[in-house]
Amino acid sequence: MKRKFKDAASVSLASLKPHWKAVVAGVGVLITIASILYTNNLVEQLREGESRQIKIYASSLEFLANESESNFILIFDQIVRANHTIPVILTDQSGNPEDYKNLSKADAMEDEEEKKRYLLAEVAEMKLQREPISITLKDQQNNIYGYKYIYYKNSFLLNELRFYPYIQLSVIAIFGMITFMVINSLKKAEQNRVWVGMAKETAHQLGTPLSSLMAWSEYFKELYPERVEELIEFDKDVDRLKIITDRFSSIGSEPQLEEHNLTEAIEEIVSYLQKRISKKITFSIASYPNSNLKSWINPSLFAWVIENLCKNAVDAMDGKGSIAIQIIRTNGGQIAIDVEDTGRGIAKSKLNDVFQPGFTTKKRGWGLGLALAKRIIEEYHKGKIFVKESEVQKGTTFRIYLRE
């Protein structure tokens, strides 16, 4: 039962995130499409309504215009001018504007020639949007003696309504983004408190047995002075536990950064690891353009990162292979550290999840090593860590950027 629970706990929660993101994105797309379709349908109905309204105006004008010219002018004033939303221009048979409505720019023009040019330009634009409605003029003998045309275009309200869903969705998107940022910030703050609390408690719990081991070491040295040499490795491991305790104590506190030679720092880390891992693992360390590249680091926390990367590489190679560490000054002036292994590699579908807490490809483990490494490099050292490249069954290369 315990084994089953642990397997369930070790499942990467991060691997579920893409599915939830896809669901949320899918729902968002459906809402967007539905909103646009609904608004476009509403716009089309209003467009047809405006068209019918203008046709009624035209029919009324045509009927009354053939009764008398005075009636025509009177009805134009009462019917067409009663419209307060649809831009309308009445022209003669030659297309010269005779009257207009709902063109505020024309109302503001005092120069008649300028107004005429503006109205002619509006007529040309209206003609592109809709076919004009013609009014047939007849004399008392029912003979056609001329035409008038009514040009019109979408009302301001109709144009605004057409863009409404995009404005609405933009507002919703901005609100959603702000909400997401606030929630993400609160979640991150809560995670930080959990991380810090866990680290401090771990350091506290290690303190008591560590003090006891140090005391036993001194006791055995006094009891068996002839075997002091044999206790040296024991002391090294005790010192190692002290370093680990200091690391956990440093989580949540502002670490002290010091300028260090990176080649020397990494060689010291690798020297410690080589004695405690498989002899079938080979290490190589190279520095370009020279071995004097320095950066501001916290030695203890930086060593934790390199150890995590190397231990993960050892696990990925099943205890047999090579780890190549390169320290490079890039063209941009940054210091880059590549940790390359010849292990199983990481599938492309999982590359975005490797630094998520809980992600692990091992049968055992909580998947916290790389999450801690990312926190140490990016938050404490103001650098960057990512998977530079990875190919299944060929190996993985992690890259770290540090400030000089």
Side-chain angles (χ1 to χ4, degrees):
M1 185 68 181
K2 290 183 179 178
R3 172 67 179 173
K4 188 174 182 181
F5 173 77
K6 186 171 182 180
D7 289 342
S10 62
V11 172
S12 172
L13 295 177
S15 64
L16 298 176
K17 289 184 179 180
H19 300 293
W20 284 108
K21 289 178 182 177
V23 171
V24 172
V27 171
V29 169
L30 287 176
I31 291 173
T32 302
I33 293 172
S35 179
I36 292 173
L37 289 176
Y38 173 77
T39 306
N40 285 343
N41 182 57
L42 189 60
V43 167
E44 195 57 37
Q45 291 181 36
L46 288 172
R47 178 184 170 91
E48 291 176 2
E50 289 186 354
S51 182
R52 286 194 298 269
Q53 185 180 356
I54 295 298
K55 286 177 181 177
I56 291 171
Y57 292 164
S59 298
S60 301
L61 290 174
E62 186 174 51
F63 174 77
L64 293 167
N66 290 315
E67 290 294 314
S68 70
E69 186 70 20
S70 60
N71 281 341
F72 174 79
I73 299 300
L74 175 64
I75 297 302
F76 184 83
D77 284 340
Q78 291 180 349
I79 297 178
V80 176
R81 285 186 178 279
N83 152 48
H84 295 290
T85 58
I86 307 171
V88 176
I89 299 177
L90 177 69
T91 71
D92 61 17
Q93 187 169 335
S94 301
N96 296 311
E98 292 185 346
D99 211 335
Y100 65 90
K101 179 64 174 175
N102 298 321
L103 292 168
S104 57
K105 191 172 180 180
D107 291 334
M109 294 178 178
E110 296 181 358
D111 188 292
E112 291 300 321
E113 286 298 320
E114 182 184 2
K115 182 183 291 188
K116 184 177 180 180
R117 287 194 297 271
Y118 170 73
L119 291 174
L120 286 172
E122 284 294 309
V123 166
E125 183 183 335
M126 291 175 176
K127 192 181 295 185
L128 294 174
Q129 284 193 17
R130 301 172 185 259
E131 285 296 319
I133 298 173
S134 64
I135 300 172
T136 304
L137 304 176
K138 298 179 182 179
D139 58 21
Q140 292 181 351
Q141 286 74 37
N142 208 32
N143 295 319
I144 298 173
Y145 68 88
Y147 297 91
K148 290 184 184 294
Y149 296 97
I150 293 179
Y151 291 89
Y152 64 104
K153 63 180 179 179
N154 295 339
S155 65
F156 176 78
L157 177 62
L158 192 61
N159 286 329
E160 287 294 301
L161 191 58
R162 189 180 296 277
F163 293 104
Y164 173 74
Y166 302 101
I167 296 172
Q168 181 188 40
L169 291 170
S170 297
V171 171
I172 292 172
I174 292 170
F175 177 76
M177 189 180 300
I178 292 172
T179 303
F180 172 78
M181 290 172 65
V182 170
I183 292 174
N184 194 51
S185 178
L186 292 173
K187 183 180 177 182
K188 190 173 181 180
E190 180 65 24
Q191 286 179 340
N192 285 341
R193 286 193 290 272
V194 173
W195 279 103
V196 172
M198 181 187 71
K200 298 291 185 184
E201 180 62 20
T202 302
H204 176 72
Q205 294 294 335
L206 284 172
T208 302
L210 181 59
S211 299
S212 177
L213 287 172
M214 292 171 66
W216 277 109
S217 176
E218 294 302 319
Y219 172 75
F220 283 126
K221 285 178 184 177
E222 292 179 5
L223 190 61
Y224 304 106
E226 72 281 0
R227 304 185 67 178
V228 170
E229 292 296 327
E230 297 178 21
L231 292 171
I232 290 177
E233 286 301 316
F234 177 79
D235 284 342
K236 286 183 179 178
D237 285 331
V238 170
D239 290 338
R240 185 66 182 174
L241 283 174
K242 288 173 63 179
I243 292 172
I244 292 171
T245 303
D246 290 339
R247 288 174 180 174
F248 278 111
S249 297
S250 299
I251 298 295
S253 304
E254 188 67 29
Q256 296 298 315
L257 303 183
E258 305 166 3
E259 190 176 32
H260 279 266
N261 182 301
L262 292 175
T263 303
E264 293 175 1
I266 291 173
E267 284 176 347
E268 185 178 340
I269 298 165
V270 169
S271 176
Y272 174 82
L273 288 174
Q274 279 183 314
K275 298 176 183 178
R276 288 159 178 81
I277 60 174
S278 171
K279 301 300 180 183
K280 296 180 180 178
I281 299 291
T282 59
F283 282 88
S284 63
I285 302 172
S287 185
Y288 304 100
N290 54 60
S291 60
N292 196 36
L293 296 179
K294 296 180 179 180
S295 181
W296 289 85
I297 61 173
N298 178 282
S300 178
L301 294 178
F302 177 73
W304 198 355
V305 173
I306 300 300
E307 286 173 19
N308 264 313
L309 294 179
C310 290
K311 288 177 180 177
N312 283 346
V314 171
D315 291 335
M317 294 184 294
D318 296 320
K320 182 180 180 180
S322 62
I323 298 174
I325 301 176
Q326 295 186 345
I327 308 157
I328 310 162
R329 186 192 298 278
T330 66
N331 293 332
Q334 290 179 298
I335 302 296
I337 302 169
D338 288 345
V339 180
E340 180 182 358
D341 65 56
T342 56
R344 292 187 295 270
I346 305 169
K348 289 184 178 180
S349 61
K350 296 180 179 179
L351 288 177
N352 293 329
D353 299 328
V354 294
F355 293 103
Q356 295 293 336
F359 176 84
T360 179
T361 57
K362 295 180 283 189
K363 294 180 180 180
R364 295 183 179 181
W366 294 99
L368 298 178
L370 288 176
L372 277 169
K374 184 177 180 68
R375 181 187 178 93
I376 290 168
I377 292 298
E378 298 189 357
E379 293 190 21
Y380 295 157
H381 290 80
K382 308 305 178 187
K384 188 175 181 182
I385 181 171
F386 58 95
V387 180
K388 181 184 177 185
E389 58 183 349
S390 185
E391 191 171 346
V392 176
Q393 301 306 324
K394 287 194 175 181
T396 301
T397 302
F398 283 88
R399 169 160 285 193
I400 299 170
Y401 281 124
L402 294 174
R403 61 189 182 91
E404 192 173 358

